[in-house]
């Protein structure tokens, strides 16, 4: 018999996640700050663009191959391999298409469908190998780019997920669509990434005037 079975404890429920989200204008500022004179720079901007415009998990992004970005009619799709072996296909935002087209054309990767979409660089040469980036490589790259853009260092690749979902909902996107884009099995998980309530709270707190 468990003697603690009848003890009533306070129920805990979290309505928002802890992942920090970018504030308005910071994502574009980050993308604009990436120098694109090297292949590595073009790769970094394209990778950050994928995070910003798809809400994808960083693990799924670094596992992309060139062939996972492909045309369907007049638009392009990205095919992600998600957790549990699931696959999802997403239409590509026109701004992300521009970033990926420039990157693939300039680097020549567009002619290598079996190569990693985001390969690691050869040291500090700015040239790309054909070895895929790993999650820690991408996280370290983000820290460098944040510093160059003069943005806070506490952001992580997951911050794009919280930022994208909030931005999507702010612009009249539905929770159901956000759930599908994010690849969540439960809409309650998607709600954890919604930061709209934080903005309302800040505006309300500023109404206190002495």
């Amino acid at each position: 018999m468990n003697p603690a079975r009848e003890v009533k404890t306070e129920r805990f429920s979290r309505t928002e996640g802890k992942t920090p989200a970018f504030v308005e204008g910071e994502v574009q500022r980050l993308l604009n700050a990436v120098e694109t004179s090297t292949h590595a720079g073009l790769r970094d901007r394209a990778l950050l663009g994928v995070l910003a415009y798809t809400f994808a998990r960083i693990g799924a992004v670094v596992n992309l191959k060139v062939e996972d970005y492909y045309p369907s009619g007049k638009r392009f799709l990205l095919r992600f391999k998600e957790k549990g072996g699931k696959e999802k296909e997403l239409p590509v935002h026109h701004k992300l298409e521009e970033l990926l087209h420039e990157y693939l054309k300039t680097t020549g990767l567009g002619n290598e469908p079996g190569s990693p979409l985001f390969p690691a660089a050869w040291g500090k040469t700015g040239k790309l190998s054909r070895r895929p980036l790993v999650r820690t490589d991408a996280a370290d790259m983000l820290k460098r780019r944040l510093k160059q853009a003069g943005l806070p260092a506490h952001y992580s690749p997951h911050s794009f997920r919280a930022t994208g979902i909030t931005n999507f909902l702010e612009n009249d996107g539905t929770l159901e669509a956000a759930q599908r884009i994010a690849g969540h099995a439960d809409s309650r998980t998607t709600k954890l990434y919604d930061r709209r309530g934080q903005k309302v709270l800040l505006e309300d707190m500023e109404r206190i005037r002495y």
Side-chain angles (χ1 to χ4, degrees), residues 13-203:
S13 177
R14 184 182 299 282
T15 58
E16 291 182 350
K18 293 183 176 181
T19 304
F22 291 94
V23 301
E24 188 175 351
E26 286 186 335
V27 170
Q28 193 59 54
R29 178 176 164 187
L30 176 63
L31 293 174
N32 290 343
V34 177
E35 49 76 28
T36 55
S37 60
T38 66
H39 288 181
L42 287 167
R43 176 206 63 190
D44 292 354
R45 188 179 65 172
L47 190 155
L48 295 173
V50 171
L51 290 172
Y53 285 105
T54 68
F55 324 159
R57 298 177 179 88
I58 187 61
V61 174
V62 296
N63 285 332
L64 286 168
K65 293 186 179 299
V66 174
E67 63 191 3
D68 292 323
Y69 175 64
Y70 58 94
S72 177
K74 294 182 179 180
R75 300 304 297 270
F76 276 75
L77 300 180
L78 272 171
R79 177 174 51 235
F80 294 97
K81 296 174 179 63
E82 293 283 346
K83 293 193 297 185
K86 298 179 181 178
E87 285 191 358
K88 72 173 182 183
E89 297 175 338
L90 290 178
V92 176
H93 192 285
H94 72 277
K95 289 187 177 180
L96 178 56
E97 275 191 17
E98 293 172 4
L99 299 182
L100 287 169
H101 281 330
E102 182 180 358
Y103 164 58
L104 292 173
K105 181 179 179 180
T106 304
T107 61
L109 275 169
N111 299 319
E112 302 177 33
S115 294
L117 183 58
F118 299 115
W122 291 108
K124 296 183 179 180
T125 64
K127 298 179 181 179
L128 301 179
S129 68
R130 292 301 180 262
R131 176 180 65 82
L133 284 176
V134 296
R135 293 173 58 179
T136 52
D137 293 333
D140 290 344
M141 177 274 286
L142 173 59
K143 294 298 183 187
R144 292 195 305 272
R145 297 304 184 182
L146 286 169
K147 184 176 181 180
Q148 291 170 1
L151 295 173
H154 63 260
Y155 294 128
S156 70
H158 221 58
S159 295
F160 289 95
R161 204 157 163 81
T163 307
I165 289 172
T166 301
N167 184 284
F168 179 80
L169 294 172
E170 283 180 333
N171 287 289
D172 301 322
T174 65
L175 181 64
E176 293 76 16
Q179 179 187 347
R180 289 197 302 271
I181 296 170
H184 289 144
D186 193 320
S187 63
R188 288 174 294 183
T189 305
T190 311
K191 288 180 180 178
L192 292 175
Y193 291 88
D194 183 5
R195 299 294 187 271
R196 288 177 297 172
Q198 293 179 355
K199 295 184 178 181
V200 172
L201 178 61
L202 177 60
E203 292 170 1

